[in-house]
Amino acid sequence: MKKLTKYLLSLVLAVGFFSCDEKFDEINTNLVDPTTLNPLFLLNQGILDMRYRDGGSSLQDLSYNFGIVQQIITPFGSSLAGANYNQLNLSNSQRIWQNTYRNVLKNTVDAVEKSKVNPDNTNLYHSARIWKAYAYMVLTDTYGDIPYFEGAKGFIEQIVSPKYDSQETIYVDLLKELEEATAGLDPNKASSTSEILYGGDPLKWKKFGYSLMLRAAMRLTKASPSKAETYVTKAVAGGLISSNAENAVLRNTSVFNNYIGVHLGAREKANYYLTEPFVNHLKTNEDPRLESIAIRHVGATNGPSQTISRITRDPDLQIGMPMGHDDVSINSVLAENGVVSLWDYSQANIYTVLKVDSPQFFLTYSQTQLLLAEAAVRGWVQGGAATYYEEGIKANMEQMAFYDLDATVSEQAAATYIANHPLENEMALEQINTEYWISSFLDGSELFANFRRSGYPTLEANPYTGSEITGNFIRSMPYPDSETVVNRSNLQEAISRQGPNNLDRRVWWDQP
Amino acid sequence: MKNKVLLLFLTMLWYGQIYAQNNSITGTVRDASEEPIPGTSIMISGTSQGTVSDIDGKFTLKAAPNSTLIFSFLGYESQSINIQNRTTINVTLNVNDIGLEEVVVTALGIKREAKTLGFSTTTLDGELISENRTPNFADALQGKIAGVNISSMSTGPGGTSKIRIRGQSSFSGQNNPLVVINGVPMDNSNYSLGGNFGNRQLNNSDGGDGLLSINPDDIETLTVLKGATAGALYGSRAKDGVIMITTKSKNASKGLGVEINSNFTTDTPLDFTDFQYEYGQGEGGVRPTSSYPTSGVWSFGERFEPGMTQILFDNEEWPYEPVSGRIKQFYNTGVNWTNTLTVANSGDNGGFSLSFANTDNKSIVPNSKLNRKTINLGFSQNITPKLVASGNANYSHEENQNPPQVNAQDFSTATVIMTLANSMPFEALRNNITYPNGDEIVMARFLVRNNPYYSTSKRFDNVKRDRLIGNLSLNYQLTPWLYAMGRLSMDFYVRDNDYNTPNGYAPIPPAPAGFVNGSFTQDTRRFRETNHDFLIGANRAFGDFNIDLTLGGNQRFVRMDYNSVAVKDFVIPDLYTVMNGRVKDPLYSLSEKKINSLYGLGEFSYKEWLFLNLTARNDWFSTLAPANRSIMYPSVATSFVFSQAFQNLPEWLYFGKLRMAYAEVGDDNVSPYSNALFYAVDNNLFPNPDGLPSPLGRINASTVPNTNLKPLRVQETEIGMELRLFDEKINLDFAYYRKITNDQILATQISDASSFTNQLVNIGRSMNKGLEFLVSGSPVRTNNFRWDASVNATYNTSEVLQLGVSEADTMITVSSGGGRILRQVVGKPIGQLYTFTYLRDDQGRMVFDENSGRPLRNDEPQNMGSVLPKYFGGVSNTFTYKGLSLYALIDFKLGHKIIAGRNQNFLRHGLHKNTLNGRDQGYVIGDGVNPNGEINTTRSLIQPFYETTNVLGINEDWVSNAGFWKLRQVSLSYDFSKHLPDKLFIKKLRLSGVANNVLILKKWTQNMDPENVSVTSDNANGMDFWPSLPPTRSLGFNLNVKF
């Protein structure tokens, strides 16, 4: 009996050891992953992600942005349909939305919040604010009204169904943000050279911030000319990017790739072509950049026969693919175009501008100079429009060498081109913005935005017979279906403010 | 907590104090065949005194000369014998052959008499599982158990089996029941698509679940505890029911026995497609006339005419003619062969069962196979008459080679075969796999639609798992009425998985100079779950009353380590090692979780016909916020055997019982560390402008964490009745249950503009209710012939009662893609399917775009009904004539919807018969109006027209009744035993011909078997899109020999 009691007692003691939740906090602590991070790392990631995390994300540029401005097109439909047929392709029209919010803004906004509270990190804080403005500008330019004030706050403020803000108010805030952030950058304060865009240099960030302000201001030439002028003036006074060395550029590597290059170098290698309007424009104007940009696999009859031995970069042999065809109807124009198959048209050069480690430009000296040229034409800045214009062209010619030495445009060739294309007063806006079009090659969202704003270059409407749009060109991207599904009432409010959610809808600054 | 310990202590003391002395009585307990019955409980009526018979069935005890002894042993009829001054009493106990005293293994491995249970359970005999089997044995349970809905995945022999008991209770994707082996929970996490673990890199195979490690031949019985009450003692893990597997631990009869079971089946792929074979491959109405352009996966070419030719991707001229039977042309006949050798012994002091088994499953997909070797040891040994040691160890070694890629494009043979142009000769594919340098030969302009022969020969995916599940328990019978049990158990596995993207795979970019492209991933997971538990049980009778108390505790600890290295580009071609890679990306994660529990069970009975069961369990979860960590689950169940309570019932009412139960259980239902946001630093550095390698880091989550999660709670009420009528010719069992699930923890889809894709929330209330019927019996029983029939049917419905915090939150989206949307909607059953529909005018006419002529859609997705079956069940009949027995099972699921979305693919690829409209004229004019209300006259090109529904996410054409009736199993067996000469060493020989998934009797979906799915998540229910592997019919035999 005593023995029994002993057994029982020890059992009861054993029970005592189960003291409920001892050490539970320890067990529920993740020993591997950090719960916070240096905001610098986050900003770096935000910058990197702006140019996509994979080939799939780049499909919005390929399917829409490049096609709308008629530089790169595919004749193929189905999952690649888009600007080539002027048709809705929801899986590709939502990619900038997804990538920018889910990746770029997630990390950038976190970097802003984390650096805001640290007085030693003001330069990082202001840099992150500028980057945030850059990302939001791409979003609103692409989609119109978007969640801005409540955007990217799923964790920070637990806002999971953010309200949409009108583009007008977004631009007011973007300009305010850029003004504050540029003013806040201070070369006398600490910064980290491990920042990937400008090595943490506050002065370069300042220049980038003002150049972005110039871009944002110029976006408003139709919608709010006075505000445009005000901020152009502020931007110029603040100091702009003054050489290609100060370009905002992503220096891709063999590890972190140029995903448009990855996509066009592999999965979509045989599917995308330079367009006839683009190639012909460069050809007609004897633009030396054509040799940097284009290749043609002469005589290729299918994808696999696009072999290296067929490649020519000779500008005279480049043939752009005419707009308005699918992969069957294109066969009816092959002979008149002088090609043997659709695989025989010119393509963006994956050995120069679109190598897997080719750099990608966010904002360039060339673009800035061309915007200044237009501002000068409008009388908003001092200096001759022609000077800015010429400098803008020259800068872009120089920029080619950054892609690959093989893409270098000689000074002589650049000078010749500039000499042959002087800025003419009556045509100034068209000339400037057509140059901007060439200069922004591969910068999809900027190409699309400036084309809508300026109306240049003068392009023919895509003649595809199955077009779904009522106007001549696609004016914005529809909102992703996921918003209809999970953020319906806020989306509805934005739609009722702007008009039907389709490819014809104009964003606020895009006034007829 | 402290109070509970005190209570336990006092209880023990109360039981311990009464002890007295009397005359000595001895005797032996035997069964009808004169075999001694050890372990028989012998109690002196009205006291707590008694003893247990020893290994020879002998007992000695002291009792008053006129007292009554009660002899009881599970499975035997109890006997009360008055001592009447005798000193020797020999007793013969009779087996309860009528089944009333049927013993059921319940939660924690506690054996209980069926009649005392106040809740519904179903037990299947091991033979029913092993004879006519499926590679994952759980699939063979389909249609056999009321309330249990099983879906087998079309993902190859190593695939996961999806089991749902009493419907989908929570809104989350995984509502898997707890699997318990010999009283100990096992980890049944699955590596399926939409399952518990995802893959790092491009890999869409189903890596299987835990049940895969079980050899069906080792199963003695399988019991399903359906409701929360039945599983209440398992607390948090029982919310979706419990599957309890008891493996063999000793020989069925006394002495040494050797058994060999051999099971051989072949799998034939089935084809449910009805494609158009009038127009061949090509695009825009043109057949391929030069290599590559329009060949591959498009069937929008020209009308087949005799003598036409086509030039395919191989630059060869082929006849332009239909190629039918695509499934039979590519897929093989699968072969499954399992051999099990079991050696078992049973003696006076215990016994053991040791088995070795080898299973080979060759998939229908070339180069895909599964091998499993298992060793199972079960034993039970009386160390002393009072101390019993028992244990089980199940070791399995699985090698799953190239589990098929499904639900994707890259490397998925299913996607390619099912979208392949209808005039593509397989010979062309077989002959053109790679160029001499090893690069892939592309056969379609969708580079990710690979030549299936390339996918199955150049890509590899190896899964290896070594798993040991075991437990060891000591049971000490302290006194005849008190026992204590301690148990240690462990489930441990190491799972290695490696897979590649081959060098020269066309959709990936070339590597930098000096390297070849491709990628390789090597994963290792180490999993360990330990459970320490103890039970103290006491039983005491007071006249007509009996009290049975059990107290126990459990400590559960789970840890998983995950190491992985993914590399890209290689120095040496075709050498897939992590060292050979150029860019390396290592990963390590660790997850730990602990749950402590205390529980108690009290059973009170009166006169063998009224039973009351009370249980309480308290769980503490490490995964939840401190304030919400502790939760108590009570349950109460009663059983009233009215056939025994009332004496004057009619004779035909052989047995009747009413039962009623209520229970609460809960679940943390979140993975560890869900309460915080984590960051990750990139393994590789990115250069700053001066080339200085600089760090990158990101928020490592797409789900917004929640720091205040509470456990979800399930409250379930169940009533039921069991009747055995007319000499057991008819047995009826039915149950009604109502289950309310509160505070569900779920990842809802949120706006991308929040920067996250999901939010973990603690919201919502839903209700499941249903009826389960089981009618079984033997309508005909003669000496030579017997007909056994069994019908089970389940009606299950659910309703979402509340979502979110405000009244306005009436809808959440759990998943969406391609216009296929799955939602939870207040007031509707769980799992509402939505999709976009065609825009129609007031008169119901379709509206077409004026410019393109393509159909337009409604802006808002429309409701299409629930994806969960309302009715399911099975009808089985067994006819036995002498030694010959024929078994057939028909099962059904009805009352639910599916988007048979693969038809969207068949449509846009020109295979669907709907695409014949307009082919002859080369354009389509949609039948309807334009947005201005005028009759539509715009011509649309064929291909874009049939692409529209895909581009716009209009799936209304493919919404279909997902129900079916199937002839699931047929087996014909003959027992040769009685023809064997007596002297032969073979004692038993039984041969069966078996057939599984025999025939679809009725279905509604076009071009597919509605069960043909490959994603296990409940959030993918009804949302078909990419074709799955073809379903298979298996035929074979099972041979069972006993020596």
Side-chain angles (χ1 to χ4, degrees), chain B residues 654-838:
Chain B
Y654 191 68
F655 175 80
K657 165 179 146 183
L658 268 175
R659 51 173 206 255
M660 213 166 2
Y662 171 81
E664 286 185 15
V665 292
D667 191 5
D668 57 342
N669 205 21
V670 288
S671 38
Y673 324 129
S674 298
N675 57 345
L677 190 70
F678 296 102
Y679 292 82
V681 178
D682 207 298
N683 289 312
N684 295 293
L685 300 169
F686 192 87
N688 84 341
D690 299 325
L692 174 78
S694 303
L696 301 159
R698 63 182 183 279
I699 293 174
N700 195 19
S702 56
T703 301
V704 183
N706 183 334
T707 48
N708 287 314
L709 293 172
K710 294 183 284 185
L712 73 79
R713 281 179 85 83
V714 174
Q715 298 162 314
E716 186 167 341
T717 313
E718 171 177 340
I719 57 173
M721 185 153 82
E722 283 165 53
L723 293 172
R724 301 186 185 189
L725 309 174
F726 305 110
D727 197 20
E728 287 206 88
K729 278 191 175 139
I730 301 174
N731 299 327
L732 294 167
D733 185 341
F734 68 88
Y736 165 82
Y737 63 90
R738 186 167 180 278
K739 190 168 168 180
I740 306 272
T741 309
N742 291 305
D743 292 330
Q744 307 213 20
I745 300 171
L746 122 121
T748 64
Q749 191 180 334
I750 57 176
S751 169
D752 287 321
S754 69
S755 283
F756 292 81
T757 52
N758 296 287
Q759 177 193 30
L760 210 52
V761 287
N762 217 183
I763 55 163
R765 216 147 67 85
S766 66
M767 188 249 303
N768 282 50
K769 62 181 178 185
L771 284 167
E772 291 158 3
F773 291 93
L774 173 66
V775 183
S776 63
S778 313
V780 181
R781 266 187 295 193
T782 69
N783 283 343
N784 287 330
F785 180 74
R786 183 180 168 121
W787 172 29
D788 296 297
S790 166
V791 178
N792 77 76
T794 304
Y795 165 77
N796 179 67
T797 184
S798 57
E799 186 183 342
V800 177
L801 301 174
Q802 187 202 319
L803 292 167
V805 276
S806 80
E807 293 276 312
D809 296 336
T810 56
M811 192 185 272
I812 53 167
T813 300
V814 290
S815 59
S816 70
R820 295 170 294 277
I821 302 159
L822 194 69
R823 284 175 165 161
Q824 310 300 357
V825 183
V826 171
K828 289 188 185 297
I830 290 175
Q832 292 293 312
L833 205 51
Y834 281 74
T835 187
F836 292 99
T837 53
Y838 293 113

Side-chain angles (χ1 to χ4, degrees), chain A residues 25 88 106 110 114 302 483, chain B residues 283 291 629 679 701 751 753 951:
Chain A
D25 289 323
L88 191 60
K106 178 153 74 178
D110 203 39
K114 280 195 165 51
N302 56 35
E483 286 293 292
Chain B
E283 288 194 79
S291 64
R629 238 168 221 167
Y679 292 82
S751 169
V951 170

Side-chain angles (χ1 to χ4, degrees), chain B residues 279-287 298-303 320 919:
Chain B
Y279 290 81
Q281 74 173 305
E283 288 194 79
V286 180
R287 71 177 191 275
W298 304 102
S299 301
F300 284 110
E302 295 170 39
R303 181 180 275 282
Y320 193 60
R919 292 270 189 128

Side-chain angles (χ1 to χ4, degrees), chain B residues 73-88:
Chain B
F73 190 75
L74 284 178
Y76 291 85
E77 284 177 25
S78 296
Q79 273 191 41
S80 300
I81 293 171
N82 194 290
I83 297 173
Q84 293 172 329
N85 296 316
R86 284 175 290 181
T87 54
T88 306

Side-chain angles (χ1 to χ4, degrees), chain A residues 207 240-247 364-366 369 391 395 398:
Chain A
K207 289 183 174 186
L240 304 168
I241 283 177
S242 55
S243 75
N244 272 324
E246 292 171 353
N247 285 341
T364 63
Y365 175 52
S366 165
Q369 288 295 305
E391 184 63 14
E398 281 173 14

